Amino acid sequence: MESEADIAYQLLTEKSKKHKHSKFYKYISKADKISIKENKKISLPLFLVKTVISQQVSTSAAQAIWIRFQKILKDTKVKNLTKKDLHLAGISRQKSEYILKILENTVINSLSKEKLKRLSKDNLTNKLIKVKGIGPWSVGMTRMFFICDPDVWLEGDLGIKKSLKVFLPDLDKDQIKEIYSPHRTYLCLYLWKALDSI
């Protein structure tokens, strides 16, 4: 039985060839298959904290800060975290405020992965977007990597924008939806990976 990653790879390859997206087709036809990596051990509040940390910083910087944050959590209970603790992890004052609000938010703490999967896209977005510090990008990342939705398009992501200019320069978001749904999460994954070849 084919996995979702296998099916997505095949369809993205076929569609890019059919629509004469030659640069992307050339890339993906030689690329290794990519799967959505689900982190089953992380809670929604901590996943959202991780997305806040990742906002507007490089992947390597975000990873380093996240590691320091996790070390602090080993020594300090979530309810006892302070802005000073977060500052020691390399987190800005504004992001620290967002993170503390997320961790104490009762709605966020009540939402399990199973509950989120049962929500419509609009309901999920409405619940998360009300929390300060959580914008469309963070909602998209939650749908992609927390509940593993295979058809998420991260329009505002800087890496995606950069990759699009090279591999799919003539497409707008409606055309991308029309052609590459229901596997736009996988399209994003390949476009991110393709940045290594630019």
Side-chain angles (χ1 to χ4, degrees), residues 3-65:
S3 69
E4 185 179 67
D6 291 329
I7 293 168
Y9 177 83
Q10 181 180 345
L11 291 178
L12 291 176
T13 304
E14 289 174 357
K15 288 178 180 180
S16 60
K17 183 177 182 180
K18 176 183 176 181
H19 292 276
K20 295 182 171 58
H21 299 155
S22 56
K23 288 184 178 179
F24 184 63
Y25 172 71
K26 184 178 179 181
Y27 171 76
I28 195 171
S29 61
K30 296 178 181 178
D32 294 331
K33 291 175 188 175
I34 302 175
S35 300
I36 300 174
K37 293 180 180 178
E38 178 184 8
N39 188 333
K40 295 182 179 180
K41 296 180 180 179
I42 196 168
S43 66
L44 177 60
L46 287 181
F47 183 89
L48 292 173
V49 167
K50 192 174 183 181
T51 67
V52 169
I53 287 171
S54 300
Q55 291 168 5
Q56 300 173 326
V57 297
S58 69
T59 302
S60 57
Q63 184 63 21
I65 294 168

Side-chain angles (χ1 to χ4, degrees), residues 83 86-87 91-100:
K83 290 181 184 178
L86 299 180
H87 179 70
I91 300 170
S92 70
R93 183 168 61 181
Q94 186 177 52
K95 284 188 178 182
S96 296
E97 291 175 1
Y98 295 158
I99 287 168
L100 292 175

Side-chain angles (χ1 to χ4, degrees), residues 134-198:
I134 303 299
W137 183 84
S138 294
V139 172
M141 292 295 282
T142 303
R143 288 176 57 213
M144 274 185 171
F145 299 114
F146 190 72
I147 64 172
C148 298
D149 182 337
D151 195 33
V152 180
W153 181 242
L154 281 186
E155 183 184 5
D157 183 86
L158 295 178
I160 296 296
K161 285 182 176 181
K162 183 178 179 181
S163 195
L164 276 177
K165 287 179 181 179
V166 175
F167 294 98
L168 296 167
D170 301 320
L171 297 187
D172 61 30
K173 65 177 181 179
D174 293 327
Q175 291 170 314
I176 287 168
K177 182 177 182 180
E178 180 181 350
I179 296 168
Y180 288 106
S181 284
H183 295 100
R184 287 175 296 167
T185 294
Y186 288 91
L187 177 60
C188 287
L189 293 176
Y190 284 105
L191 287 172
W192 275 323
K193 184 64 177 176
L195 287 169
D196 296 337
S197 65
I198 295 176

